[in-house]
Amino acid sequence: MSPTEVLSKLKENASKKTQDTLDSIFEICIEQKERGLEDFSIATIAKLGRKRGVPQAQSIRNKSGEPYRALLKAFSDASPKKVKLETPKKDEDWIDEIPNPKHKLLIRIMASELKTANQKLREILPPNLRIDVYDHKSQPEPSCKLSELERRALEYLTSENFQKKWNIKPTEFDEYEDERGEVIFKVGTLSAIKKALDNM
């Protein structure tokens, strides 16, 4: 039943005073909805209706306040239910399951140090960077070496001819900028090309 239907039902055979009180509670609940509030608790409605003939909270909780509680419940039941969102688990939540307090503390310290180290690594290394490590005794695989054509192409990018042709110049940050000062090749481009030439 809607709050309006409940109000009508409750007012049947009720005293004039009870009917007036029900009307006051109904009006206050409607005002709550118009404010966008879904708080129809006994304490809130009693406080808001103190000067409008609504009994105190304790009186509404008593046996004589049963019709008032029924009307408040009708409003509460008609309110849209909030979906309770599950709090996503943190990576460290499993640590709380360790029974030994000393072990738990040590593992928290280690987890914190690991997190700090990973953050530093992410700052230093760009994402998805592949790092191949070769010992000095063995040579890199042929597929990692630059062909002569590839080497000349990279050398041309660092040459004065390339700079003059496109009217660009290198900066102290190993980037190329045009005559308007706009960056053409990002920071570190030239040093990256030179390292590639030296190591492949």
Side-chain angles (χ1 to χ4, degrees):
M1 292 174 69
S2 70
T4 305
E5 292 170 330
V6 172
L7 174 66
S8 178
K9 193 74 176 172
L10 291 171
K11 288 174 71 174
E12 291 177 4
N13 304 321
S15 68
K16 179 72 168 63
K17 184 180 178 182
T18 301
Q19 289 181 12
D20 291 342
T21 302
L22 285 167
D23 285 335
S24 296
I25 291 175
F26 184 85
E27 288 171 9
I28 293 167
C29 290
I30 292 296
E31 289 168 7
Q32 283 286 84
K33 287 184 72 68
E34 288 172 350
R35 293 188 200 103
L37 303 173
E38 301 295 336
D39 183 3
F40 306 110
S41 64
I42 292 173
T44 299
I45 302 304
K47 184 177 178 182
L48 293 172
R50 186 173 52 191
K51 296 180 180 179
R52 294 162 67 174
V54 176
Q56 293 183 353
Q58 187 55 50
S59 297
I60 297 176
R61 291 190 182 97
N62 292 339
K63 187 176 181 181
S64 60
E66 187 175 352
Y68 311 137
R69 293 197 303 274
L71 182 57
L72 293 176
K73 187 175 186 307
F75 273 97
S76 181
D77 290 346
S79 299
K81 304 301 178 187
K82 291 183 180 177
V83 179
K84 187 177 179 182
L85 299 175
E86 289 188 10
T87 306
K89 287 190 175 182
K90 296 180 181 177
D91 292 339
E92 298 86 12
D93 281 354
W94 61 271
I95 298 175
D96 291 329
E97 298 174 10
I98 299 172
N100 189 309
K102 187 189 292 184
H103 294 165
K104 188 186 293 186
L105 177 62
L106 289 172
I107 291 173
R108 281 203 182 281
I109 293 170
M110 292 171 65
S112 176
E113 290 173 349
L114 178 62
K115 187 176 181 180
T116 303
N118 283 333
Q119 285 176 342
K120 288 181 179 177
L121 278 174
R122 283 194 291 272
E123 290 171 7
I124 296 169
L125 301 174
N128 302 322
L129 176 69
R130 174 181 167 179
I131 300 177
D132 294 318
V133 179
Y134 301 102
D135 60 25
H136 294 291
K137 296 177 183 178
S138 62
Q139 292 295 321
E141 295 179 14
S143 60
C144 296
K145 290 184 177 180
L146 292 174
S147 68
E148 196 58 38
L149 186 65
E150 291 168 336
R151 176 173 290 277
R152 283 201 301 271
L154 289 180
E155 286 172 346
Y156 176 65
L157 290 178
T158 61
S159 68
E160 290 185 10
N161 288 338
F162 179 75
Q163 296 169 29
K164 288 177 182 176
K165 179 177 179 180
W166 298 103
N167 200 16
I168 56 178
K169 61 180 180 180
T171 70
E172 57 183 311
F173 303 110
D174 281 335
E175 60 190 5
Y176 274 138
E177 63 179 22
D178 62 16
E179 54 192 354
R180 293 174 295 181
E182 292 186 9
V183 175
I184 304 302
F185 288 167
K186 299 292 184 185
V187 174
T189 298
L190 294 177
S191 59
I193 292 172
K194 289 171 185 175
K195 283 181 183 178
L197 289 170
D198 291 341
N199 293 291
M200 294 187 181

